[in-house]
Amino acid sequence: MSMTIAEVRKRYGLTADTLRYYERIGLIPPVGRNAGGVRNYTEHDGNWIDFIKCMRNAGVQVEALIEYVALFQQGDATASARKQILIDQRAQIAARVASMQKMLERLDRKIEQYENHIMPAEKKLQRKAVKGRVAHNAAMTH
Amino acid sequence: MSMTIAEVRKRYGLTADTLRYYERIGLIPPVGRNAGGVRNYTEHDGNWIDFIKCMRNAGVQVEALIEYVALFQQGDATASARKQILIDQRAQIAARVASMQKMLERLDRKIEQYENHIMPAEKKLQRKAVKGRVAHNAAMTH
DNA sequence: GGTTGACTTGGAGTTGACTCCAGCGAGTCT
DNA sequence: AGACTCGCTGGAGTCAACTCCAAGTCAACC
């Protein structure tokens, strides 16, 4: 039912140092301890860790997440502020996704250019059947 | 036809310091100078800057781009190595986009929860018609 | 011909996000 | 009891990617 830091580390793929660091800066709520002061992660803690980890992977700043967690700990009264943070972050992620998708298309065109223009030129060179200069790099600078 | 660093800065939204830094570390090919040693950016340089800027925005590491630029300057013989870098980076961007899209869906569900469960509770409080505890935070921890 | 202002360089400093470590304590095995 | 292993804390160190700065050069204007 509850996990040590080693188990959490394995389950979520974060280092023990990172988990302690996250807790220290308030990126996850304080974790319960046993008599000896050793952390005892509950399923609830696990859900937070997963959420934070995914948000970080999506490029959300630690700063914004700390604020969200802090508001959460202040109770129901902060619900709309928290919701607003989520909406803002959602918008930022969506914007990044959009620009990354544009980049994917751009890369696809560029890769295709390599297939159509540059690689055949190389093959000709390899065949040792060179009959003059072909498709120079200068054509591909964007 | 050619631009000063100030014009490039305005056009591409990078600081002059960043532009010089990029050139110094080989993230863009060397830029031509006038008699006095002042940088003279051509349209060709502009294309590189735009490409690099977009790749950086998409999360591609400076490291990988330096390698790409270095290969480019070695001429046609490195075409397939360059193509491979683009393919690798494309894959990494695509993976990031996929996980960000999952996060978008997750956020949408979470935001909807705020609308359905938490916000109505707040409204009831505001109406001062409280008839017992409603929808506590604990229900929303993932 | 002096002042202004954009530009230059090399190097130091900053920021965000970890990552590592020394020194200590608790629990377990032998 | 001694030796291991795991975990704890506070603080220092690292890394990527800039960002800032002092001191100097140069062209242009007054």
Side-chain angles (χ1 to χ4, degrees), chain B residues 23-130:
Chain B
E23 187 180 344
R24 187 169 45 184
I25 64 170
L27 216 164
I28 51 173
V31 174
R33 311 301 182 96
N34 68 15
V38 174
R39 285 176 181 78
N40 227 331
Y41 291 88
T42 64
E43 211 55 41
H44 172 87
D45 295 324
N47 291 336
W48 267 107
I49 290 164
D50 185 51
F51 173 66
I52 293 298
K53 183 192 146 195
C54 292
M55 287 291 267
R56 290 288 304 119
N57 282 350
V60 177
Q61 309 254 105
V62 162
E63 187 76 26
L65 294 170
I66 288 174
E67 201 192 336
Y68 183 78
V69 174
L71 287 172
F72 210 101
Q73 283 166 206
Q74 289 167 39
D76 293 359
T78 64
S80 45
R82 270 144 49 202
K83 182 185 160 200
Q84 195 53 52
I85 290 178
L86 296 187
I87 289 170
D88 293 350
Q89 293 305 323
R90 203 218 108 96
Q92 287 187 34
I93 294 168
R96 252 175 282 134
V97 165
S99 97
M100 287 166 86
Q101 272 166 342
K102 283 225 166 142
M103 194 71 229
L104 282 180
E105 285 167 31
R106 185 167 175 178
L107 275 175
D108 285 342
R109 288 196 301 276
K110 223 171 155 61
I111 289 166
E112 207 181 342
Q113 280 190 342
Y114 272 100
E115 260 141 32
N116 295 344
H117 301 302
I118 308 302
M119 305 305 288
E122 269 197 344
K123 273 185 194 142
K124 271 180 200 159
L125 282 167
Q126 281 161 13
R127 263 192 255 112
K128 286 165 187 178
V130 196

Side-chain angles (χ1 to χ4, degrees), chain A residues 8-132:
Chain A
V8 174
R9 180 178 71 71
K10 277 165 206 152
R11 175 178 307 188
Y12 297 104
L14 298 172
T15 70
D17 267 318
T18 299
L19 287 165
R20 283 189 287 253
Y21 166 72
Y22 278 2
E23 187 180 344
R24 188 169 45 182
I25 64 172
L27 216 165
I28 51 174
V31 174
R33 312 299 185 96
N34 69 14
V38 174
R39 285 177 182 77
N40 228 332
Y41 291 88
T42 64
E43 211 55 41
H44 172 87
D45 296 324
N47 290 337
W48 267 108
I49 291 163
D50 186 52
F51 173 65
I52 293 298
K53 182 191 146 196
C54 292
M55 287 290 266
R56 290 287 304 119
N57 281 350
V60 177
Q61 310 253 106
V62 162
E63 188 75 26
L65 295 170
I66 288 175
E67 201 192 334
Y68 183 79
V69 174
L71 287 171
F72 210 102
Q73 281 165 208
Q74 289 167 38
D76 292 359
T78 64
S80 45
R82 269 144 50 202
K83 183 186 160 202
Q84 195 53 52
I85 290 177
L86 295 187
I87 288 170
D88 293 350
Q89 293 305 324
R90 202 219 107 96
Q92 287 186 36
I93 295 169
R96 253 175 281 133
V97 165
S99 95
M100 287 166 86
Q101 273 166 341
K102 282 224 165 144
M103 193 72 231
L104 283 180
E105 285 168 32
R106 186 167 173 177
L107 276 176
D108 285 342
R109 288 197 300 276
K110 223 171 155 60
I111 290 166
E112 207 181 341
Q113 279 190 343
Y114 271 98
E115 260 142 32
N116 295 345
H117 301 303
I118 309 302
M119 305 304 287
E122 269 195 346
K123 272 184 194 144
K124 271 179 200 161
L125 282 166
Q126 280 162 14
R127 265 191 255 114
K128 285 163 188 177
V130 195
K131 285 161 186 166

Side-chain angles (χ1 to χ4, degrees), chain B residues 1-30:
Chain B
M1 205 47 231
S2 66
M3 302 170 278
T4 68
I5 203 165
E7 286 157 355
V8 174
R9 179 178 71 72
K10 277 165 207 151
R11 174 175 311 185
Y12 297 104
L14 299 171
T15 70
D17 267 317
T18 300
L19 286 165
R20 282 188 287 253
Y21 166 71
Y22 278 1
E23 187 180 344
R24 187 169 45 184
I25 64 170
L27 216 164
I28 51 173

